[in-house]
Amino acid sequence: EVQLVESGGGLVKPGGSLRLSCAASGFTFSNTWMSWVRQAPGKGLEWVGRIISKSGGGTTDYAAPVKGRITISRDDSKNTLYLQMNSLKTEDTAVYYCAAHAVATAFGIWGQGTLVTVSS
Amino acid sequence: QSALTQEASVSGTVGQKVTLSCTGNSNNIGSYAVGWYQQISHGAPKTVMFGNSLPSGIPGRFSASKSGTTASLTISGLQPEDEADYYCSTWDFSLSALVFGGGTKLTVL
């Protein structure tokens, strides 16, 4: 079964750090571009960043609001995507989804999401 | 303010054909394939179209098209289970970012 399962969400204080994981199964993870997308309470979807496949260069791109505070990485041996978030702000509170690209500019598969709450 | 513009709300009756639009510019929709995502009751999004392709398991009543800098998602034969929020997205090369529309709330009357 094609599946993405996120984990690692929780409550963190402003200025803190958190690492999210996304375990992939049912498809060739190593060949797949991956993104993180978030959704703040009551708001729409917001792209956070992406990492392309190692065969494509393995490069990353990040959205302006999080650039410099996050790092996306992948471990193809574990079929796992990561999102390291530092210097967290209250406005980073959201459900974070990982998504597998079907093509370079659109997603095919989504995870179920993990909630990150940044609050003192 | 979203880089892509979608209607805030659209409604239709069961069996009707409805079209949702997503307007951008030459930096995004005019240059790249567009994805369409369905989100029911703030659950996890589901892809209903990417480019002109229908993902496995998505009913054939969903289709997509693009004309210039506007993309469209058409649902032919609206069903009650189609009631959801729909988002479009694509890459924007001037922003070097993937951008979403603000979403359209589709109500099935």
Side-chain angles (χ1 to χ4, degrees):
Chain A
E1 181 189 4
V2 173
Q3 201 172 11
L4 295 171
V5 179
E6 301 95 335
S7 59
L11 175 63
V12 60
K13 288 181 166 48
S17 297
L18 205 60
R19 189 177 84 155
L20 307 183
S21 300
C22 170
S25 58
F27 64 97
T28 308
F29 177 77
S30 60
N31 290 344
T32 305
W33 295 22
M34 299 292 297
S35 276
W36 288 96
V37 175
R38 68 183 181 183
Q39 186 171 36
K43 303 294 186 183
L45 300 175
E46 180 187 22
W47 178 74
V48 173
R50 75 174 180 188
I51 184 166
I52 69 175
S53 60
K54 283 200 167 50
S55 62
T59 56
T60 52
D61 293 285
Y62 301 116
V66 297
K67 201 167 187 176
R69 299 190 295 120
I70 72 160
T71 301
I72 295 175
S73 60
R74 62 192 300 156
D75 186 337
D76 291 343
S77 68
K78 295 182 179 178
N79 287 348
T80 301
L81 176 74
Y82 301 101
L83 173 63
Q84 176 68 44
M85 301 187 290
N86 303 320
S87 303
L88 281 161
K89 306 175 181 180
T90 55
E91 52 263 42
D92 294 319
T93 293
V95 175
Y96 284 73
Y97 298 99
C98 65
H101 287 244
V103 294
T105 61
F107 308 121
I109 309 160
W110 294 76
Q112 87 288 349
T114 187
L115 175 62
V116 172
T117 303
V118 184
S119 174
S120 54
Chain B
Q1 186 130 3
S2 304
L4 306 180
T5 300
Q6 298 183 248
E7 303 96 340
S9 63
V10 170
S11 62
T13 56
V14 173
Q16 189 177 5
K17 181 168 82 170
V18 296
T19 298
L20 282 57
S21 69
C22 175
T23 301
N25 58 42
S26 58
N27 296 327
N28 43 63
I29 291 179
S31 298
Y32 300 105
V34 175
W36 288 93
Y37 313 105
Q38 176 193 67
Q39 188 177 39
I40 297 174
S41 300
H42 287 283
K46 178 166 59 173
T47 301
V48 292
M49 293 292 300
F50 59 91
N52 294 323
S53 298
L54 192 69
S56 173
I58 301 300
R61 61 179 180 273
F62 287 87
S63 63
S65 63
K66 186 169 68 168
S67 177
T69 58
T70 297
S72 300
L73 176 72
T74 298
I75 308 173
S76 302
L78 197 60
Q79 297 299 306
E81 59 266 30
D82 299 332
E83 184 163 290
D85 294 324
Y86 290 85
Y87 295 89
C88 60
S89 78
T90 191
W91 186 256
D92 187 302
F93 70 76
S94 68
L95 299 174
S96 291
L98 195 142
V99 293
F100 279 95
T104 296
K105 182 176 182 61
L106 174 63
T107 301
V108 181
L109 302 171

